[in-house]
Amino acid sequence: MRLRPHGAFSPFGAAEIGWFKDHCETTCHPTPLCPANRFAGHKVFTMNKALLFGRRYVSNYAFVSECHDLHVTYDARSANPTAVLHGVNVSASPGELVAVVGPSGSGKSTLLHALAGFVQASQGAVRLLGRDITRASQAQVSAVHRSGVGFVFQSYNLIPSLPVLENVLLPARFAGKRVDKNRAAHLLERFGLGRQMAQRTGSLSGGQQQRAAIARVVYDQPSVVFADEPTGALDTTNGRLVLDALKDLTSDGVTVVMVTHDLQAAARADRAIVLRDGVVSQILERPSADALFAETAEHIDA
C-alpha cells in the first residue's frame, strides 16, 4: 500500500510511517470478503484523525467490520442447541453509523458481540479492522481490540467516586500508557462536560455519564465503536445528546455499529440493518423513522 499525506498537512514522520507500514502489512491484504478480492478493489477513504496524529491519512480498509455467512449457535454440542443467527452477511464502512434493529430475540446483541469478537461464530467468517477473528483466541481478539476498538454499553462502567476526568484517563493508567489531561479535558469539553470534569462521576445524570463513557472511548482513539443500546436507559433529551456524540465520531472517520430498539435513534444512522429470527430481513439506506416503523411495526415487541 502506498502511503501519502493528504491535503495541506505536513508529511508523515518516520515513526508514523513505520506505524502505518506495520499496521497495513497485518491488516490490508486481499480477502474473499472484499468484493474485488484485491487491493485495487478496496474503497479508499480519507479520515480526519485529529485525535490520532493531528493529520489526515489515506487507508485501504474496505470494511472496518464485516461478517460473511455468519451462524451462531449456543450450546451447539448439547442436546438442546439454540441457533441465534443464520447466514448473516453485514459490513460497516469507515466513518459510517450503522444501526441494528429488530424485535427482542432477533439476534441483535448476538450479532454485535460476534462482530466485536466476544462471541465466536459457529460457521462463516468475521473480520475486524481487516483481521480474521473467526477462530481467534481471546488473547488475539484482545490484541485487535487494543489496536482500535471501543465499546459503549447501556451500563456506563464508570467509577462513581472518581472525578469525571479521571474516569476518562483510567483505562490508559491501567495500561501503563502516558496520560494527556489536556486532551481528555478537550474531549469532555467537546461532549458538553467541560464544567463537570472535576465533579464526582456519581453526581452526573445518566446522559452525562453516558457522554463521559463515550469520551473515555474516544480518548483511546478507536477506529470502530460498538454500542449496545446506548440510549436505552435515557430520557429523550439525554438520548439525543448521546446520539449527537456518536454521530460526531463518524465525522472523524470512526465507524459506529449500534444496536437499538429506538427507531428515532436508528433513523440517525447511515444504514439500518433489520434482523428478524436471526436473519437479515432488510437493509435500509439512510432510513427515516417512518420507513423503519413500516418495516418493523408488526415485529418489534411493544
Side-chain angles (χ1 to χ4, degrees):
M1 184 184 97
R2 185 169 65 91
L3 293 167
R4 59 182 175 83
H6 181 81
F9 289 83
S10 302
F12 293 110
E16 296 163 7
I17 289 292
W19 184 92
F20 282 115
K21 182 175 183 293
D22 292 342
H23 177 71
C24 293
E25 284 177 349
T26 58
T27 61
C28 295
H29 48 82
T31 163
L33 300 186
C34 173
N37 195 27
R38 62 184 184 274
F39 287 133
H42 281 229
K43 175 183 176 183
V44 177
F45 69 100
T46 301
M47 296 173 66
N48 182 359
K49 279 287 190 178
L51 296 179
L52 186 53
F53 291 130
R55 302 168 185 172
R56 294 184 180 184
Y57 66 88
V58 175
S59 182
N60 280 344
Y61 279 135
F63 302 113
V64 175
S65 175
E66 57 183 315
C67 66
H68 175 69
D69 191 31
L70 174 63
H71 295 252
V72 174
T73 300
Y74 293 117
D75 301 320
R77 298 181 180 180
S78 71
N80 298 298
T82 303
V84 180
L85 297 177
H86 314 275
V88 172
N89 296 279
V90 298
S91 63
S93 299
E96 185 179 32
L97 174 57
V98 178
V100 182
V101 300
S104 297
S106 62
K108 299 186 302 298
S109 290
T110 298
L111 175 58
L112 188 81
H113 294 165
L115 290 173
F118 292 133
V119 172
Q120 197 167 67
S122 304
Q123 180 182 324
V126 181
R127 296 184 70 85
L128 179 59
L129 298 184
R131 303 178 190 180
D132 189 340
I133 62 169
T134 311
R135 296 289 177 264
S137 67
Q138 183 176 349
Q140 290 169 329
V141 171
S142 295
V144 176
H145 288 174
R146 288 194 298 271
S147 71
V149 183
F151 305 95
V152 176
F153 299 112
Q154 192 170 340
S155 56
Y156 317 124
N157 297 323
L158 301 170
I159 298 179
S161 59
L162 285 180
V164 178
L165 181 66
E166 286 302 317
N167 263 296
V168 172
L169 296 170
L170 195 61
R173 292 191 190 281
F174 277 136
K177 299 177 181 177
R178 177 181 172 275
V179 299
D180 186 340
K181 290 188 176 182
N182 288 333
R183 187 162 66 84
H186 172 75
L187 284 171
L188 289 171
E189 291 276 2
R190 174 181 175 183
F191 292 124
L193 296 171
R195 295 182 179 180
Q196 289 81 24
M197 68 177 69
Q199 291 182 213
R200 289 179 48 171
T201 305
S203 68
L204 270 56
S205 69
Q208 289 173 325
Q209 290 193 48
Q210 189 63 290
R211 279 181 279 149
I214 295 172
R216 182 176 61 185
V217 168
V218 176
Y219 179 85
D220 206 31
Q221 301 168 341
S223 295
V224 58
V225 172
F226 294 99
D228 194 355
E229 297 284 1
T231 63
L234 305 179
D235 59 34
T236 301
T237 299
N238 279 303
R240 185 171 59 252
L241 290 171
V242 167
L243 286 171
D244 288 344
L246 291 173
K247 188 67 175 177
D248 282 348
L249 295 183
T250 64
S251 66
D252 290 334
V254 178
T255 301
V256 178
V257 182
M258 173 181 68
V259 163
T260 183
H261 277 94
D262 184 346
L263 299 185
Q264 292 291 337
R268 300 284 300 274
D270 299 301
R271 283 189 299 135
I273 297 167
V274 183
L275 281 184
R276 189 177 304 143
D277 299 325
V279 300
V280 176
S281 66
Q282 189 68 263
I283 296 179
L284 303 175
E285 300 284 341
R286 299 197 176 279
S288 66
D290 288 343
L292 285 164
F293 182 78
E295 177 62 32
T296 62
E298 297 179 4
H299 305 278
I300 294 184
D301 297 340

